[in-house]
Amino acid sequence: MTCFDRRDLGLLLLRLGTGGVLAAHGAQKLFGWFGGHGIEGTGQFMESVGYAPGKASATAAGLAETGGGLLLALGLATPAAGAAAAGAMAGASAVHLPSGFFAQEGGYEHAASLGLTAAGLAVTGPGRLSLDHVLGHVLDRGWMVPAALGAAAAGTAVVVGARNRRVRRQQEGEQEALFEE
């Protein structure tokens, strides 16, 4: 009898794929790797799409993506890792929402897929081919799942809500007058 099964192998593949993509995406923000713009350039972009202050927003998003992605790939602190990554992807989805669903049109498809997969891994757990399993699941307790996802959801709601208010105020200020004076 083997020490792991198809489920464990499938979870490993999901963790490595999702975690790797998230970590690379975050490294673009934090370090400018893989054609990214680093904190400075990403901060300017974040500011332009309503996340302020831009550098702090870029740092938070980069850390959530890089840290969450690496931890997911390793299967370590899976509830917190999945929740952090899902929160970051919810913030990215908010930016892409006006463009619709499909990524080819600039939509939120990719961010939503990564976020839902990260959240699913937080709920399901990392499987036996993980550091959480090796360490006796000290950072992967059942109570940690709702706590991590709840905290990430609350934080994301506050940040995205503030961003949406900024964008709405900016758009209202840019609207043309209905009548000439």
Side-chain angles (χ1 to χ4, degrees):
M1 180 126 187
T2 62
C3 63
F4 62 90
D5 58 18
R6 289 175 31 200
R7 179 183 176 276
D8 295 315
L9 186 57
L11 288 170
L12 174 65
L13 292 172
L14 278 172
R15 289 192 352 260
L16 290 174
T18 303
V21 169
L22 285 162
H25 198 62
Q28 289 180 308
K29 289 177 177 64
L30 292 177
F31 312 117
W33 295 354
F34 312 116
H37 300 288
I39 293 292
E40 196 67 41
T42 304
Q44 290 171 6
F45 170 75
M46 296 291 258
E47 195 85 37
S48 77
V49 295
Y51 287 112
K55 274 186 168 179
S57 297
T59 301
L63 288 172
E65 292 170 9
T66 304
L70 288 174
L71 289 172
L72 278 176
L74 294 170
L76 181 62
T78 304
M89 292 299 97
S93 292
V95 171
H96 295 282
L97 189 65
S99 298
F101 179 71
F102 293 104
Q104 68 191 25
E105 302 295 327
Y108 61 94
E109 171 187 16
H110 184 66
S113 295
L114 288 173
L116 287 169
T117 304
L121 287 167
V123 171
T124 304
R128 288 182 281 187
L129 298 173
S130 67
L131 288 180
D132 275 337
H133 182 74
V134 169
L135 298 173
H137 295 278
V138 295
L139 299 173
D140 179 31
R141 303 281 187 213
W143 65 267
M144 294 175 181
V145 174
L149 289 172
T156 301
V158 168
V159 170
V160 171
R163 179 246 175 216
N164 289 345
R165 285 188 296 280
R166 270 187 221 94
V167 168
R168 200 169 25 256
R169 281 193 307 267
Q170 180 185 9
Q171 288 173 343
E172 288 169 358
E174 291 178 1
Q175 288 182 352
E176 294 180 29
L178 291 176
F179 304 102
E180 290 185 36
E181 293 182 24

